[in-house]
Amino acid sequence: MQPSPSRDLAVGLFVLAGLCAVAWLSVRVGGLSFGDADRMQLHAAFDQIGALKPRAPVVIAGVKIGQVRTIELGNDLRAHVTLAVDASLKLPDDTTAAIRTSGLLGDQFIALEPGASEQDLASGATIAFTQNALSIESLISKFATNLGNGGQK
Amino acid sequence: MIFDGIRRLGRRSLVVVAEHGRIARFGTGLLRAVVAPPARPGRIVQEVFDVGVLSLVIVCISGAAVGMVLGLQGYNTLIRFGAEESLGAVVGLSLVRELGPVLTGLLVTGRAGSAMAAEIASMVATEQLDGLRMMSIDPVHLVAMPKAVAMALAMPLLAALFTVCGIFGGWVAGVRILGVDAGTYFSSLESAVDFSDDVSGSLLKAVIFGMIVGLIATYRGYTSAPTSAGVSASTTGTVVVASVTILISDYFITALWGV
C-alpha cells in the first residue's frame, strides 16, 4: 500500500467533518453539557406545572437565556423546578417565574419577569414569586359555570 | 408423496440454517481478524476513503433534500393545527432517530456495499484470494477485515453528516422559504432532541448498520461463485439482503432500546 498524501488528507477531512457533525448534534442539538461553567442554577416551586418538561426553554422578554434542568416533586407536594440560566445575567431577587405556552398548542416554557429590587439573585437561589401553568380546561369550566350563572360572579 | 414434500421442506430449512451458520462463522473470523496483528491501518484508511469520502457527496445531497421535504411536509401538516413552531422538533426528531441512520445505511449499501462485494467477488473469480492463501496470507485479514472495519467506522460519521445536512435542509424549507421564525425552529429542535435518548441512539443505530453492511458485503463477495455471473449475483445479493436487514433490525433496535 503506497502512502498517498492527498488520499490521507481527504480521509482526515472526512473524519473531522463527521466528528464535527457528531459534536454539533450532541452538544448543540442534543444538549449534552460538560459542566455548567457559564450557567447558574435557580430554583422555583410551582403548584401546577402543566406539561412543562426538562430542557424546556427559559426566556426573558422572549429571548432564550437558559433551560429547565430538573423537575421534582418536593416534600411539600409542589413541583420543584431547577433552571439553568446564563450566569452573566443580573436578575433582581423579586423576579417572577411564570409557566407560559407558546401558541395555543405549543410547548410550555418558563418566562422570567425581572422585578425592581436592588438585590440580585445569586446562583442556587430560589425564585419566590411564581405563576402556575394555565390550564385551558379549568378556564373553560370556569367560563361555563359563569355562563350558567347568567354571567354573574 | 407426502414424505417428498416434508423432505423438501427439511432440505430447505437445512439450507437456511447452514447459510446463517456460515455467516456467523465468517463474522467470528472477521472479529478475530480485527484483533489479530498486524492492524493494517493503511488498508483501513484506503477503505474509509472508498466508503466515506466517496459517499460524502451523495449522503450530504440526499440529507439536504430529505430535510427540505420534511420541512415542507411538516409545515403543511402542522399549520392546520397552528403548531408550525414545532417544525424544528418534527424535522429534528425524525432525522436523528430514524431517517439519518436508516437512509444513510441504505445509501451506503448501494454506493459502497455493492462495490465492496463486487471487488471481493472478482478477486474470487480471478483466483487472487487463492493466491493469497498460497502465500499463507489470510484473505479475510487482508481483504475483508479492513473493508468491514471501514464500514463500521464511516457509517456513524456519514449518518451524523446526513442528519446535520437534513436539519439545515429543513431550515431552508421551513425558515427561508415558508417563513417560520429561525429562533423558534432551532429552540424547538433543541428542546425536543436529547443526547442520551436520541443522538446516542442514532449513533448506535449507525454503528450497527455499518457492521451489518460490512459483514454482508464481505461475506457475499467472499462466498461468491468464481464466475462473472457470481460477481453480479453477489452485488445484487448484498444490496437486497443488507437493505432488508437494515430495515428489519431498525425495528428491533427501536423496540428493544426505545431509540
Side-chain angles (χ1 to χ4, degrees):
Chain A
M1 181 63 42
Q2 294 291 314
S4 144
S6 59
R7 183 205 66 193
D8 291 356
L9 180 70
V11 172
L13 285 177
F14 161 68
V15 172
L16 269 184
L19 290 179
C20 286
V22 172
W24 188 76
L25 283 177
S26 308
V27 177
R28 189 67 213 288
V29 177
L32 181 70
S33 57
F34 307 96
D36 286 317
D38 53 348
R39 290 291 170 103
M40 67 172 171
Q41 295 219 329
L42 294 175
H43 302 280
F46 297 89
D47 293 321
Q48 172 62 255
I49 57 164
L52 190 74
K53 288 193 282 284
R55 304 194 62 232
V58 176
V59 304
I60 291 179
V63 182
K64 187 180 172 191
I65 50 130
Q67 62 183 18
V68 173
R69 206 21 68 79
T70 59
I71 299 174
E72 282 160 349
L73 190 66
N75 291 329
D76 53 356
L77 299 182
R78 299 178 83 203
H80 287 253
V81 178
T82 311
L83 316 174
V85 301
D86 196 340
S88 62
L89 287 171
K90 294 203 188 318
L91 292 169
D93 65 359
D94 56 349
T95 295
T96 310
I99 300 180
R100 298 273 167 76
T101 310
S102 56
L104 195 58
L105 292 166
D107 284 338
Q108 290 190 304
F109 61 95
I110 291 191
L112 298 183
E113 280 149 31
S117 167
E118 305 275 299
Q119 302 279 315
D120 289 337
L121 281 172
S123 183
T126 302
I127 298 177
F129 306 104
T130 58
Q131 271 176 31
N132 296 324
L134 267 186
S135 145
I136 293 185
E137 290 93 326
S138 69
L139 275 185
I140 292 176
S141 71
K142 263 185 204 157
F143 180 66
T145 348
N146 279 357
L147 272 190
N149 295 342
Q152 305 288 312
K153 289 244 162 148
Chain B
M1 194 57 191
I2 185 150
F3 285 112
D4 268 2
I6 296 175
R7 215 171 276 142
R8 211 174 302 134
L9 179 70
R11 205 157 44 227
R12 291 258 172 84
S13 319
L14 283 179
V15 167
V16 170
V17 172
E19 177 77 1
H20 281 92
R22 275 194 293 271
I23 294 182
R25 275 187 57 188
F26 186 80
T28 344
L30 269 183
L31 283 181
R32 208 177 303 132
V34 171
V35 289
R40 305 198 191 279
R43 299 259 331 141
I44 294 179
V45 168
Q46 174 66 45
E47 296 299 338
V48 170
F49 180 81
D50 286 349
V51 174
V53 181
L54 298 183
S55 306
L56 205 51
V57 174
I58 155 181
V59 162
C60 288
I61 291 177
S62 313
V66 167
M68 289 185 73
V69 171
L70 273 179
L72 278 181
Q73 294 281 20
Y75 180 83
N76 287 333
T77 312
L78 291 171
I79 194 86
R80 284 191 220 161
F81 309 106
E84 68 272 17
E85 62 269 5
S86 306
L87 184 67
V90 170
V91 172
L93 277 182
S94 26
L95 276 169
V96 170
R97 293 178 70 111
E98 287 300 331
L99 296 176
V102 172
L103 288 184
T104 310
L106 297 181
L107 285 170
V108 173
T109 303
R111 169 69 186 74
S114 55
M116 221 172 236
E119 189 185 335
I120 302 180
S122 65
M123 290 174 86
V124 171
T126 51
E127 296 175 353
Q128 295 183 48
L129 295 190
D130 294 329
L132 287 174
R133 283 195 201 94
M134 292 282 287
M135 296 185 280
S136 91
I137 296 170
D138 180 10
V140 171
H141 195 277
L142 182 71
V143 178
M145 182 274 283
K147 292 185 191 297
V149 168
M151 241 339 157
L153 288 180
M155 193 70 90
L157 301 178
L158 288 170
L161 285 166
F162 183 98
T163 308
V164 170
C165 290
I167 286 172
F168 279 95
W171 174 80
V172 168
V175 177
R176 307 298 310 203
I177 299 177
L178 295 169
V180 176
D181 178 53
T184 323
Y185 179 81
F186 280 108
S187 85
S188 93
L189 173 72
E190 284 165 28
S191 66
V193 181
D194 189 49
F195 176 77
S196 58
D197 263 6
D198 306 320
V199 179
S200 60
S202 169
L203 295 175
L204 174 80
K205 273 187 182 176
V207 172
I208 294 179
F209 294 163
M211 290 174 169
I212 289 175
V213 180
L215 173 66
I216 293 178
T218 49
Y219 174 78
R220 285 276 159 164
Y222 197 79
T223 55
S224 76
T227 56
S228 39
V231 175
S232 80
S234 74
T235 316
T236 318
T238 299
V239 174
V240 173
V241 176
S243 307
V244 174
T245 315
I246 283 176
L247 294 173
I248 294 176
S249 60
D250 180 46
Y251 174 83
F252 286 102
I253 298 170
T254 310
L256 285 178
W257 286 301
V259 291

